Amino acid sequence: MDKPTLPKGTRDFGPATMAKRQFILDNIRKVFQKYGFMPLETPAMENLTTLTGKYGEEGDQLLFKILNSGDYLKNADATKLETRNSKQLTFDISEKGLRYDLTVPFARYVVMNRNEVAFPFKRCQIQPVWRADRPQKGRYREFYQCDADVVGTDSLICEAEIILMIREVFKGLGITDYTIKINHRGILNGIAEAIGAAGNETPMFVAIDKLDKIGEEKVKEELREKNFSENALTKLFQLLNVKGSNTNKLAVLFKEFETIASGQKGLRDLRLVFDFLRDYGSDESNVELDVALARGLSYYTGCIFEVKINNVSIGSVSGGGRYDNLTKAFGDKENLSGVGFSFGVDRIYDAMEELNLFPKDAQVSSKVLICYFDDESFRYGLGVLSKLRQAGIASEIYPDLSKIKKQLDFANKKMIPFTIVIGSEEVSTGALAFKNMTNGEQQKLTIDQIIKQF
Amino acid sequence: MDKPTLPKGTRDFGPATMAKRQFILDNIRKVFQKYGFMPLETPAMENLTTLTGKYGEEGDQLLFKILNSGDYLKNADATKLETRNSKQLTFDISEKGLRYDLTVPFARYVVMNRNEVAFPFKRCQIQPVWRADRPQKGRYREFYQCDADVVGTDSLICEAEIILMIREVFKGLGITDYTIKINHRGILNGIAEAIGAAGNETPMFVAIDKLDKIGEEKVKEELREKNFSENALTKLFQLLNVKGSNTNKLAVLFKEFETIASGQKGLRDLRLVFDFLRDYGSDESNVELDVALARGLSYYTGCIFEVKINNVSIGSVSGGGRYDNLTKAFGDKENLSGVGFSFGVDRIYDAMEELNLFPKDAQVSSKVLICYFDDESFRYGLGVLSKLRQAGIASEIYPDLSKIKKQLDFANKKMIPFTIVIGSEEVSTGALAFKNMTNGEQQKLTIDQIIKQF
C-alpha cells in the first residue's frame, strides 16, 4: 500500500508548530476580547446560494463545492450530463460549499439574527477558510483568518481602535518594526478629480496599487496607455510623492483639495482618527498615511489599512477598511456601515520565524518527565507525578520500564526541560535526583523543594 | 431575495454560546496538556483514499465528498454518466472528503511522520468533524471532537491516566455526579467462553450492548433467536448481574475464569489499573466495572471506557479504549498499540445547561462600557478607556453620541456588568459615576479607584 499523503495545499500542524501558532492566536484573541469584540463561529459549510456571487467570477471558481449526499445524479439535467458541462452541472449535484472567507458568513449571520444582535455589533472570528487556489510558497488551500469587525456605526473611533489593536497584538508578539499604512477612499477619489481623471478612477487605482512592485515609470507607462495626459501624470506623482509627517501630508493635500469635497471628507476623517489616537493618550507612531494604498477598491468606502512587517520577505500581514454594504447582498434594506480588519496568521508566523521572535517557552511539552529504574520506583513515581500535577505543573512518566538512557533520550526528543530520576535509594530517602536537561545540572531535592523551583 | 439559511444540521455559535463552549474547551485543553499530551491539527480535507474503508460501508456513505475543481467531468467514465451511477461516479469526480473523525487523520499523521515522532506519542486534537447523518436532536452534521491518544506503548498506566483526566476535566467543569464505566475486551471474551458461546461472541456483544435500553428480557429473546441455550442465558445474566464493589466483581469473575486465559488477562489488567490509581494517591471513586459495556467491538482490543453524567437526559459524553491496529490500515507493518478517548463537547454542553452548571462569568463581554453626554466627555472617555485596558480590563466605549438611556440599554443587552457615565462635571473633577448594572448601585470614584475594584 502506498504511503498516505495530504491533499495539495493543506498542512498538518504538529506539536512544535501548534505551540507557536497557539502563541499567536492566543495573543490576537486576548486583544480582540479586551477591546470588546465578541467571538462568533460559523459552520465550515455554507449553502452555495450564500457564497456564490460574492467574490467575483474568479472567486466562485475557487470555492470548494460539496457533492450532495445519496443519489445525487438522480435529478441532474440530462443535457448537462450528456454535454459534460461541468460548470452547469455543479448546481444540480452540489448545494453546499466550504467557507471562502469570514466576512460573508458574518454578513449572513447578521441578517439571520438581526433582532437578537445588539448594534453596534463588535464580533471577532478566528477560523480556517478554504480556497481552491493553485498552491505556492505562502499560499495554502486551507488557512486561518482572524477577523474583527464592528457593524452598525460609522464612528471613526472604530478606525482608531483598529490601530490600537494592531499595535497591542504586535507588542504581545514582540514585533517592533512594522508600518500600519492608512489611506481613505475619499482621498483616492480626490486625487482622481485633482488630476482631471474623474470618472477614470478604476485604471488609476489599479495602476498605483502596483507602485510598490513595478515602480513609478511602469505605472506611468500603464496610465499613458489608458490615455492619461502627461500633465495628469505629473500632477499624480506630485501628489503621491508628498513626503513628511502625516500632519504635513494632510496639510499639503488640504490645499490641493480646496474645491474637492470627497477628498476633503477623506482628509477630515483621517485627521479625526489621528486626533482620537491622541485622546487615547497615544500617538501616530507606526502609522503612515500612504496615498498610494488602494486595496481591492470595489469593496471599501472609507478608511483602508494595510500592515507590513519591515525587513522581512513577506507581504502584508493584516489589512482591512470601512465598507457600507455588508448585508445588502442578502437583501437587507438598511445600510449597515461597518469597518473591519483581518490578521493573516500564516504570514505572521513566517515573519516571526524569519525574525526569530518566538519565545523559547512557546512549547507545549511537559515540564517534567519522571524516569525510574524498576517497578517499585515506577509505583513511587506515580505519587510524585500526582503532586507535580496538583501543583499545576505539566508532567508525565515514561510509561514502559526501559533503560534510563532511553528514558532521558525521550525527554530530550520531546524537549522536556527537567527530569526526576527515581531508584531504590530515592524511594527510601525521598531525596529525588532532579535534573536540568538543558545544562545537565543535577540536584537531590524532595518533591516539595522541586515544586518550589517552578 | 429570500433570507439566507444555514445548511441542515449545522449551527452558528453566537457570543453567548461561544463563551460557554470556550469554558469547556479551555478546561479540556488545560488538562490534556497538564498530562503531557501535545496538540495536533490536521486539515479539514483528506484524500478519499485515506478516509474510505475505515468506517465501514455506512461510514463511507456518510462522508462529505468534495467536488474536484475545474472541468471535473472531462475524464469521467461515460457509462457511469449514462447510467447515472452516483456511487461509482463519485470516485471519478471527487478525490477529497471532509474529516469524519480525528482518529484516522491521527493514524495517517503517525504513518507519515514515523521518523520525527517521539514514541510513545501522546497527542491531543480538538477540531470539528463532519458526517452526512440525518440531523436530529443532539445530532449534528458538524460537531467538535476532543481526542487524547497515546500510541506506541501497551502500559496500563495510560488507562489509569485516562480516568484521572476525565475526573480532572469534570472537576474543572463542576460536574460531580457521573460514572466512568470500564470493561475489558478480554472479560467479554471470557464471558462468552464461560457460557459456552465461544465463537459466537458478536451476537452476544451486540445484544448485551443494548441491555440499558431494552432490558434483560428483550436481550434474552434476541439471544434465543440466535440459538443461545437457556443454560447459557442463565449463566450469562448471573455474570452480568454480579453486584458490589469493583473488587467484589473482580473476585467473583476470577473464580469463574479459573481456566479461561483471555478472561483472566482482562481481570488482571483492570486490577492493575485500579492499583495504579491508588499509587497515584487516588482511588476508584466514580469508576464502575460494568461487564455489560461492549462499545463498537470490532475496533477495541483491551480496556474500554464510557462516561455518563447522572440524572441528565443525555447519553454518554465520553468514551474510548485500547486498540492494536491503528496504523495497519495505512500499510504500517509494526503493530502500534494505543489507547485513547474522546469528549463530546456538544453533549457536555447540553448536560451542563440542563444542570445549570455554567459559571455566571462564563461571558466574554467587556467588563465596562463608557457612556457620555457630549463630545468633550467622549474625548475624555477615551483616556479613561485606555487606562482600563492598560490594567487588563476588557472595556469599550459606546461609539456614537446617543441618549444615555440608549447607551445603558446597550450595556444591558450585551450583559456588560459595569458602566462609567461621564459628563462635564466628571471631566472637570475626575470623579466618575461608576455604576453596577446588576444591582443599580452607583459610586463616584476616580479611574484609579475603579481599577482597584477589579
Side-chain angles (χ1 to χ4, degrees), chain B residues 245-265:
Chain B
S245 66
N246 296 332
T247 314
N248 185 56
K249 287 177 187 169
L250 286 177
V252 172
L253 290 168
F254 262 116
K255 267 187 210 148
E256 297 286 346
F257 292 164
E258 238 170 9
T259 60
I260 300 171
S262 65
Q264 279 190 28
K265 161 85 164 93

PDB file of all heavy atoms in Angstrom, chain B residues 245-265:
ATOM      1  N   SER B 245     -18.853  -3.951  44.941  1.00  0.00           N
ATOM      2  CA  SER B 245     -17.726  -3.097  44.564  1.00  0.00           C
ATOM      3  C   SER B 245     -16.985  -3.706  43.396  1.00  0.00           C
ATOM      4  O   SER B 245     -17.178  -4.880  43.052  1.00  0.00           O
ATOM      5  CB  SER B 245     -16.770  -2.968  45.748  1.00  0.00           C
ATOM      6  OG  SER B 245     -16.203  -4.245  46.004  1.00  0.00           O
ATOM      7  N   ASN B 246     -16.113  -2.919  42.781  1.00  0.00           N
ATOM      8  CA  ASN B 246     -15.276  -3.433  41.706  1.00  0.00           C
ATOM      9  C   ASN B 246     -14.452  -4.610  42.200  1.00  0.00           C
ATOM     10  O   ASN B 246     -14.290  -5.610  41.492  1.00  0.00           O
ATOM     11  CB  ASN B 246     -14.359  -2.329  41.172  1.00  0.00           C
ATOM     12  CG  ASN B 246     -15.147  -1.192  40.535  1.00  0.00           C
ATOM     13  OD1 ASN B 246     -16.245  -1.395  40.018  1.00  0.00           O
ATOM     14  ND2 ASN B 246     -14.584   0.015  40.594  1.00  0.00           N
ATOM     15  N   THR B 247     -13.915  -4.484  43.413  1.00  0.00           N
ATOM     16  CA  THR B 247     -13.097  -5.553  43.998  1.00  0.00           C
ATOM     17  C   THR B 247     -13.905  -6.844  44.081  1.00  0.00           C
ATOM     18  O   THR B 247     -13.424  -7.929  43.731  1.00  0.00           O
ATOM     19  CB  THR B 247     -12.631  -5.151  45.419  1.00  0.00           C
ATOM     20  OG1 THR B 247     -12.152  -3.806  45.364  1.00  0.00           O
ATOM     21  CG2 THR B 247     -11.559  -6.071  45.932  1.00  0.00           C
ATOM     22  N   ASN B 248     -15.150  -6.712  44.531  1.00  0.00           N
ATOM     23  CA  ASN B 248     -16.015  -7.887  44.641  1.00  0.00           C
ATOM     24  C   ASN B 248     -16.275  -8.509  43.275  1.00  0.00           C
ATOM     25  O   ASN B 248     -16.184  -9.721  43.092  1.00  0.00           O
ATOM     26  CB  ASN B 248     -17.327  -7.489  45.317  1.00  0.00           C
ATOM     27  CG  ASN B 248     -18.202  -8.702  45.563  1.00  0.00           C
ATOM     28  OD1 ASN B 248     -17.753  -9.653  46.205  1.00  0.00           O
ATOM     29  ND2 ASN B 248     -19.410  -8.688  45.019  1.00  0.00           N
ATOM     30  N   LYS B 249     -16.580  -7.665  42.284  1.00  0.00           N
ATOM     31  CA  LYS B 249     -16.836  -8.176  40.935  1.00  0.00           C
ATOM     32  C   LYS B 249     -15.608  -8.907  40.395  1.00  0.00           C
ATOM     33  O   LYS B 249     -15.707  -9.990  39.811  1.00  0.00           O
ATOM     34  CB  LYS B 249     -17.206  -7.032  39.992  1.00  0.00           C
ATOM     35  CG  LYS B 249     -18.606  -6.477  40.223  1.00  0.00           C
ATOM     36  CD  LYS B 249     -18.874  -5.286  39.286  1.00  0.00           C
ATOM     37  CE  LYS B 249     -20.191  -4.616  39.618  1.00  0.00           C
ATOM     38  NZ  LYS B 249     -20.356  -3.332  38.911  1.00  0.00           N
ATOM     39  N   LEU B 250     -14.430  -8.303  40.594  1.00  0.00           N
ATOM     40  CA  LEU B 250     -13.195  -8.930  40.132  1.00  0.00           C
ATOM     41  C   LEU B 250     -13.016 -10.298  40.780  1.00  0.00           C
ATOM     42  O   LEU B 250     -12.691 -11.285  40.111  1.00  0.00           O
ATOM     43  CB  LEU B 250     -11.987  -8.036  40.440  1.00  0.00           C
ATOM     44  CG  LEU B 250     -11.797  -6.775  39.578  1.00  0.00           C
ATOM     45  CD1 LEU B 250     -10.595  -5.969  40.062  1.00  0.00           C
ATOM     46  CD2 LEU B 250     -11.608  -7.132  38.100  1.00  0.00           C
ATOM     47  N   ALA B 251     -13.271 -10.371  42.108  1.00  0.00           N
ATOM     48  CA  ALA B 251     -13.076 -11.627  42.843  1.00  0.00           C
ATOM     49  C   ALA B 251     -14.003 -12.716  42.304  1.00  0.00           C
ATOM     50  O   ALA B 251     -13.571 -13.843  42.029  1.00  0.00           O
ATOM     51  CB  ALA B 251     -13.313 -11.392  44.334  1.00  0.00           C
ATOM     52  N   VAL B 252     -15.279 -12.367  42.119  1.00  0.00           N
ATOM     53  CA  VAL B 252     -16.248 -13.344  41.605  1.00  0.00           C
ATOM     54  C   VAL B 252     -15.813 -13.830  40.220  1.00  0.00           C
ATOM     55  O   VAL B 252     -15.806 -15.030  39.933  1.00  0.00           O
ATOM     56  CB  VAL B 252     -17.662 -12.730  41.547  1.00  0.00           C
ATOM     57  CG1 VAL B 252     -18.624 -13.676  40.833  1.00  0.00           C
ATOM     58  CG2 VAL B 252     -18.160 -12.395  42.939  1.00  0.00           C
ATOM     59  N   LEU B 253     -15.433 -12.877  39.361  1.00  0.00           N
ATOM     60  CA  LEU B 253     -15.084 -13.241  37.985  1.00  0.00           C
ATOM     61  C   LEU B 253     -13.785 -14.050  37.921  1.00  0.00           C
ATOM     62  O   LEU B 253     -13.653 -14.957  37.104  1.00  0.00           O
ATOM     63  CB  LEU B 253     -14.992 -11.988  37.115  1.00  0.00           C
ATOM     64  CG  LEU B 253     -16.336 -11.311  36.841  1.00  0.00           C
ATOM     65  CD1 LEU B 253     -16.136  -9.918  36.231  1.00  0.00           C
ATOM     66  CD2 LEU B 253     -17.206 -12.162  35.902  1.00  0.00           C
ATOM     67  N   PHE B 254     -12.830 -13.725  38.805  1.00  0.00           N
ATOM     68  CA  PHE B 254     -11.586 -14.519  38.826  1.00  0.00           C
ATOM     69  C   PHE B 254     -11.903 -15.999  39.056  1.00  0.00           C
ATOM     70  O   PHE B 254     -11.294 -16.874  38.453  1.00  0.00           O
ATOM     71  CB  PHE B 254     -10.617 -14.017  39.913  1.00  0.00           C
ATOM     72  CG  PHE B 254      -9.554 -13.088  39.379  1.00  0.00           C
ATOM     73  CD1 PHE B 254      -9.483 -11.763  39.786  1.00  0.00           C
ATOM     74  CD2 PHE B 254      -8.601 -13.555  38.464  1.00  0.00           C
ATOM     75  CE1 PHE B 254      -8.501 -10.901  39.289  1.00  0.00           C
ATOM     76  CE2 PHE B 254      -7.612 -12.705  37.972  1.00  0.00           C
ATOM     77  CZ  PHE B 254      -7.568 -11.373  38.380  1.00  0.00           C
ATOM     78  N   LYS B 255     -12.887 -16.258  39.945  1.00  0.00           N
ATOM     79  CA  LYS B 255     -13.286 -17.653  40.187  1.00  0.00           C
ATOM     80  C   LYS B 255     -13.892 -18.259  38.929  1.00  0.00           C
ATOM     81  O   LYS B 255     -13.574 -19.368  38.539  1.00  0.00           O
ATOM     82  CB  LYS B 255     -14.291 -17.713  41.340  1.00  0.00           C
ATOM     83  CG  LYS B 255     -13.617 -17.955  42.679  1.00  0.00           C
ATOM     84  CD  LYS B 255     -14.652 -18.182  43.772  1.00  0.00           C
ATOM     85  CE  LYS B 255     -14.105 -17.686  45.091  1.00  0.00           C
ATOM     86  NZ  LYS B 255     -15.141 -17.176  45.977  1.00  0.00           N
ATOM     87  N   GLU B 256     -14.764 -17.500  38.283  1.00  0.00           N
ATOM     88  CA  GLU B 256     -15.450 -18.015  37.092  1.00  0.00           C
ATOM     89  C   GLU B 256     -14.469 -18.292  35.956  1.00  0.00           C
ATOM     90  O   GLU B 256     -14.682 -19.179  35.140  1.00  0.00           O
ATOM     91  CB  GLU B 256     -16.498 -17.003  36.599  1.00  0.00           C
ATOM     92  CG  GLU B 256     -17.619 -16.720  37.570  1.00  0.00           C
ATOM     93  CD  GLU B 256     -18.617 -17.883  37.650  1.00  0.00           C
ATOM     94  OE1 GLU B 256     -18.572 -18.766  36.770  1.00  0.00           O
ATOM     95  OE2 GLU B 256     -19.403 -17.898  38.611  1.00  0.00           O
ATOM     96  N   PHE B 257     -13.428 -17.457  35.885  1.00  0.00           N
ATOM     97  CA  PHE B 257     -12.489 -17.546  34.758  1.00  0.00           C
ATOM     98  C   PHE B 257     -11.256 -18.381  35.092  1.00  0.00           C
ATOM     99  O   PHE B 257     -10.224 -18.242  34.430  1.00  0.00           O
ATOM    100  CB  PHE B 257     -12.031 -16.143  34.338  1.00  0.00           C
ATOM    101  CG  PHE B 257     -13.121 -15.288  33.716  1.00  0.00           C
ATOM    102  CD1 PHE B 257     -12.959 -13.909  33.591  1.00  0.00           C
ATOM    103  CD2 PHE B 257     -14.301 -15.856  33.242  1.00  0.00           C
ATOM    104  CE1 PHE B 257     -13.936 -13.119  33.030  1.00  0.00           C
ATOM    105  CE2 PHE B 257     -15.290 -15.063  32.680  1.00  0.00           C
ATOM    106  CZ  PHE B 257     -15.116 -13.688  32.569  1.00  0.00           C
ATOM    107  N   GLU B 258     -11.375 -19.261  36.113  1.00  0.00           N
ATOM    108  CA  GLU B 258     -10.195 -20.011  36.564  1.00  0.00           C
ATOM    109  C   GLU B 258      -9.422 -20.650  35.409  1.00  0.00           C
ATOM    110  O   GLU B 258      -8.199 -20.667  35.415  1.00  0.00           O
ATOM    111  CB  GLU B 258     -10.612 -21.095  37.563  1.00  0.00           C
ATOM    112  CG  GLU B 258      -9.898 -20.914  38.892  1.00  0.00           C
ATOM    113  CD  GLU B 258     -10.486 -21.819  39.967  1.00  0.00           C
ATOM    114  OE1 GLU B 258     -11.309 -22.694  39.633  1.00  0.00           O
ATOM    115  OE2 GLU B 258     -10.120 -21.635  41.137  1.00  0.00           O
ATOM    116  N   THR B 259     -10.146 -21.154  34.419  1.00  0.00           N
ATOM    117  CA  THR B 259      -9.470 -21.856  33.313  1.00  0.00           C
ATOM    118  C   THR B 259      -9.559 -21.083  31.997  1.00  0.00           C
ATOM    119  O   THR B 259      -9.295 -21.623  30.927  1.00  0.00           O
ATOM    120  CB  THR B 259     -10.115 -23.238  33.093  1.00  0.00           C
ATOM    121  OG1 THR B 259     -11.501 -23.022  32.783  1.00  0.00           O
ATOM    122  CG2 THR B 259      -9.992 -24.107  34.326  1.00  0.00           C
ATOM    123  N   ILE B 260      -9.955 -19.801  32.084  1.00  0.00           N
ATOM    124  CA  ILE B 260     -10.169 -19.043  30.843  1.00  0.00           C
ATOM    125  C   ILE B 260      -9.134 -17.933  30.748  1.00  0.00           C
ATOM    126  O   ILE B 260      -9.228 -16.896  31.417  1.00  0.00           O
ATOM    127  CB  ILE B 260     -11.598 -18.457  30.812  1.00  0.00           C
ATOM    128  CG1 ILE B 260     -12.619 -19.602  30.894  1.00  0.00           C
ATOM    129  CG2 ILE B 260     -11.810 -17.629  29.550  1.00  0.00           C
ATOM    130  CD1 ILE B 260     -14.041 -19.153  31.095  1.00  0.00           C
ATOM    131  N   ALA B 261      -8.124 -18.130  29.901  1.00  0.00           N
ATOM    132  CA  ALA B 261      -6.965 -17.231  29.860  1.00  0.00           C
ATOM    133  C   ALA B 261      -7.351 -15.804  29.479  1.00  0.00           C
ATOM    134  O   ALA B 261      -6.924 -14.842  30.130  1.00  0.00           O
ATOM    135  CB  ALA B 261      -5.918 -17.769  28.886  1.00  0.00           C
ATOM    136  N   SER B 262      -8.161 -15.628  28.418  1.00  0.00           N
ATOM    137  CA  SER B 262      -8.496 -14.279  27.951  1.00  0.00           C
ATOM    138  C   SER B 262      -9.217 -13.499  29.050  1.00  0.00           C
ATOM    139  O   SER B 262      -8.938 -12.323  29.290  1.00  0.00           O
ATOM    140  CB  SER B 262      -9.370 -14.347  26.696  1.00  0.00           C
ATOM    141  OG  SER B 262     -10.633 -14.937  27.004  1.00  0.00           O
ATOM    142  N   GLY B 263     -10.138 -14.193  29.731  1.00  0.00           N
ATOM    143  CA  GLY B 263     -10.875 -13.538  30.806  1.00  0.00           C
ATOM    144  C   GLY B 263      -9.952 -13.118  31.934  1.00  0.00           C
ATOM    145  O   GLY B 263     -10.046 -12.003  32.460  1.00  0.00           O
ATOM    146  N   GLN B 264      -9.016 -13.995  32.283  1.00  0.00           N
ATOM    147  CA  GLN B 264      -8.067 -13.666  33.358  1.00  0.00           C
ATOM    148  C   GLN B 264      -7.209 -12.458  33.005  1.00  0.00           C
ATOM    149  O   GLN B 264      -6.967 -11.595  33.842  1.00  0.00           O
ATOM    150  CB  GLN B 264      -7.166 -14.867  33.622  1.00  0.00           C
ATOM    151  CG  GLN B 264      -7.837 -15.916  34.501  1.00  0.00           C
ATOM    152  CD  GLN B 264      -6.832 -16.971  34.935  1.00  0.00           C
ATOM    153  OE1 GLN B 264      -5.642 -16.694  35.036  1.00  0.00           O
ATOM    154  NE2 GLN B 264      -7.339 -18.170  35.176  1.00  0.00           N
ATOM    155  N   LYS B 265      -6.761 -12.423  31.765  1.00  0.00           N
ATOM    156  CA  LYS B 265      -5.938 -11.284  31.314  1.00  0.00           C
ATOM    157  C   LYS B 265      -6.721  -9.982  31.498  1.00  0.00           C
ATOM    158  O   LYS B 265      -6.199  -8.976  32.002  1.00  0.00           O
ATOM    159  CB  LYS B 265      -5.558 -11.504  29.837  1.00  0.00           C
ATOM    160  CG  LYS B 265      -5.102 -10.259  29.057  1.00  0.00           C
ATOM    161  CD  LYS B 265      -3.633  -9.960  29.242  1.00  0.00           C
ATOM    162  CE  LYS B 265      -3.103  -8.979  28.196  1.00  0.00           C
ATOM    163  NZ  LYS B 265      -3.153  -7.575  28.651  1.00  0.00           N
TER     164      LYS B 265
END
